[in-house]
Amino acid sequence: MQFARTEGIVPAPEASHAVKGAIDLALECKARGEAKTIVFNRCGHGHFDMQAYADYLAGKLQESTLDPKALESSLSALPTVR
């Protein structure tokens, strides 16, 4: 949200981790009094995810958990890659 409000760009959800990482690093540098140039890669936009963003902001997204047995079953079906 901070990035979208500051830059006017809604990042795609899958790229938001890069935005958060850059912000976290900038805050660490600020706390230490260090001046650094921080470069990160933000690809894509969130235009197709606008309903998900609206649901998030309205508190409509539901938390879900993954059944550990279902996860183990799925992972056991994957082929071995070498």
Side-chain angles (χ1 to χ4, degrees):
M1 293 304 302
Q2 180 181 5
F3 182 81
R5 288 184 180 122
T6 302
E7 299 297 327
I9 300 168
V10 177
E14 61 272 12
S16 293
H17 66 281
V19 174
K20 182 182 184 324
I23 291 171
D24 288 348
L25 182 57
L27 292 173
E28 289 174 18
C29 290
K30 183 178 180 179
R32 291 191 300 259
E34 296 177 350
K36 289 188 174 182
T37 300
I38 300 168
V39 178
F40 69 98
N41 185 11
R42 184 208 55 85
C43 59
H45 54 73
H47 294 167
F48 295 114
D49 305 298
M50 295 311 291
Q51 186 60 54
Y53 278 111
D55 290 345
Y56 170 76
L57 294 172
K60 294 180 180 178
L61 292 184
Q62 295 180 353
E63 186 72 28
S64 63
T65 58
L66 181 61
D67 175 31
K69 289 181 181 179
L71 175 62
E72 184 59 37
S73 175
S74 295
L75 291 175
S76 70
L78 292 175
T80 301
V81 178
R82 297 178 197 248

